[in-house]
Amino acid sequence: MHKYLRSIGFSTYKNKRDIEKLLAILEQTTDRRQCIPIEPDANLCEVRAEVAPGMGIAMMGEVDEQGYFRREFYYPYLESGDDSSTADCSIQRHTEKETFAGLLDDSRVGISLIFYLDNSFELQSRFLKRLSSRALSVRLSSFAAEGKILLPLHKTRKQIEMARVAARDRNSLLEAARNGDEEAMETLTIEDIDLYSQISRRVMREDLYSIVDSSFMPSGIECDQYSVIGEILHVKELENRITSEVVYDLTLNCNDVVFHVGIARKDLMGEPQAGRRFKGQIWMQGRVVFPEDGPGTGAGKKG
């Protein structure tokens, strides 16, 4: 069973037999299927079964000579209409199956952000048609098996504006340092030392979550899992049409990167509201926005 299947409202499906029955029903009741030939005697087929608007299960496999779909793997998906980043993005194929990972080099996050590519079928199709695989932008979404709601930090308008200016200046310095600017490197080093000193003094008399406004850190040994704290911008409730379980679609702002988090209402501690913060471990996925049809290849290359 996929660990985050419960995040789209299937918490009661806990054994392989029940999940196989569920997937078989979803295969027969959806008309969202696409197939492309990837080899002379093999094809790739994607079946998407929506259980709530913009949320569902994607199944990948082949169609045999008798026309039957042979599922190889599946995963939950959550669609996002918000562009999270326009930074350079490279794409590489996973070793064990026809899935891909994207890598975003966004200075706002502070790390190389790796995500599971949700529109891998579209990418494969573009490879076959020799269309550009350059990423114009990336729309990130994620799932959490559990999470907590934290109260917001009270900030004045002046403090908010000062934080925006400081973040913008730091991003400029990071970009300059990445291009070899030694002065920018020295400035960043001094700022980090000052920041460490300030935090060391404040942590003696303040709660940690009053100091850390948002965070984005790798979690565990899987490269697309992160521990995040982010401000909730919007809360949307989705109802799984099969189980009637309620799922929250939270729009988060974390380190100035906007993305969505899907989590079952029963797995979230606290009441989510815009302005409050979400804390939890997430599995990151994303959809790459490609250019309009045109020949050539770009940053995203099949590995």
Side-chain angles (χ1 to χ4, degrees):
M1 173 179 174
H2 197 288
K3 178 181 177 181
Y4 293 99
L5 200 59
R6 66 178 296 113
S7 302
I8 61 171
F10 289 110
S11 63
T12 58
Y13 288 77
K14 297 182 178 180
N15 61 65
K16 189 174 181 180
R17 183 183 303 171
D18 291 340
I19 295 170
E20 287 294 327
K21 290 180 181 178
L22 169 67
L23 295 177
I25 293 172
L26 292 176
E27 286 172 19
Q28 297 170 3
T29 56
T30 183
D31 56 0
R32 295 182 62 184
R33 64 177 65 213
Q34 308 174 78
C35 291
I36 54 173
I38 55 175
E39 293 179 6
D41 57 346
N43 58 65
L44 178 68
C45 187
E46 179 189 66
V47 176
R48 286 194 173 240
E50 196 172 71
V51 297
M55 182 182 76
I57 298 177
M59 293 164 274
M60 304 289 286
E62 292 187 5
V63 174
D64 62 20
E65 295 177 352
Q66 286 74 38
Y68 291 105
F69 175 66
R70 303 297 182 185
R71 184 180 65 257
E72 295 180 3
F73 62 93
Y74 69 95
Y75 63 91
Y77 70 86
L78 178 66
E79 296 177 354
S80 168
D82 301 314
D83 286 340
S84 301
S85 177
T86 56
D88 291 339
C89 178
S90 58
I91 302 170
Q92 289 195 355
R93 183 185 180 276
H94 289 133
T95 303
E96 76 279 12
K97 54 180 177 286
E98 290 288 335
T99 58
F100 294 80
L103 186 147
L104 268 175
D105 195 12
D106 197 319
S107 59
R108 295 174 299 174
V109 181
I111 58 173
S112 295
L113 195 159
I114 299 174
F115 60 91
Y116 185 95
L117 186 67
D118 181 36
N119 56 334
S120 59
F121 185 89
E122 180 184 0
L123 178 66
Q124 294 267 47
S125 179
R126 296 184 76 87
F127 283 146
L128 291 173
K129 297 176 182 178
R130 299 185 180 276
L131 299 177
S132 172
S133 57
R134 178 175 60 89
L136 297 180
S137 63
V138 177
R139 297 173 178 175
L140 297 172
S141 57
S142 61
F143 290 107
E146 59 181 6
K148 298 178 181 178
I149 298 299
L150 304 179
L151 293 175
L153 296 179
H154 177 69
K155 292 183 179 180
T156 63
R157 289 186 178 181
K158 184 178 180 180
Q159 288 175 319
I160 294 173
E161 185 58 32
M162 288 176 64
R164 286 176 180 169
V165 172
R168 188 165 57 244
D169 292 344
R170 182 173 176 81
N171 289 337
S172 299
L173 286 171
L174 286 169
E175 190 64 32
R178 195 169 292 159
N179 294 328
D181 189 328
E182 294 185 3
E183 185 177 344
M185 295 180 192
E186 292 177 3
T187 302
L188 286 169
T189 302
I190 293 171
E191 286 184 356
D192 287 344
I193 293 172
D194 291 342
L195 181 61
Y196 178 79
S197 177
Q198 292 174 21
I199 292 174
S200 298
R201 291 195 302 268
R202 291 181 61 186
V203 79
M204 300 296 292
R205 61 181 188 277
E206 295 182 47
D207 181 79
L208 177 64
Y209 296 122
S210 67
I211 300 172
V212 179
D213 189 4
S214 66
S215 68
F216 203 111
M217 294 291 292
S219 178
I221 61 174
E222 293 189 61
C223 54
D224 51 11
Q225 306 256 346
Y226 300 93
S227 179
V228 302
I229 300 174
E231 180 187 357
I232 300 174
L233 301 180
H234 181 68
V235 180
K236 183 179 180 181
E237 289 190 8
L238 303 173
E239 183 177 315
N240 186 309
R241 62 180 174 84
I242 296 175
T243 64
S244 297
E245 291 186 30
V246 175
V247 174
Y248 287 124
D249 177 4
L250 307 177
T251 306
L252 295 191
N253 183 338
C254 185
N255 287 22
D256 289 330
V257 176
V258 175
F259 60 93
H260 289 243
V261 176
I263 182 171
R265 182 165 65 183
K266 63 173 64 177
D267 294 330
L268 183 62
M269 182 182 296
E271 186 67 25
Q273 292 182 13
R276 294 181 178 179
R277 292 179 293 167
F278 169 85
K279 176 182 180 293
Q281 182 176 327
I282 62 170
W283 170 53
M284 185 67 78
Q285 62 179 222
R287 294 184 66 87
V288 171
V289 178
F290 297 108
E292 295 297 325
D293 291 355
T297 58
K301 296 181 180 179
K302 187 176 181 180

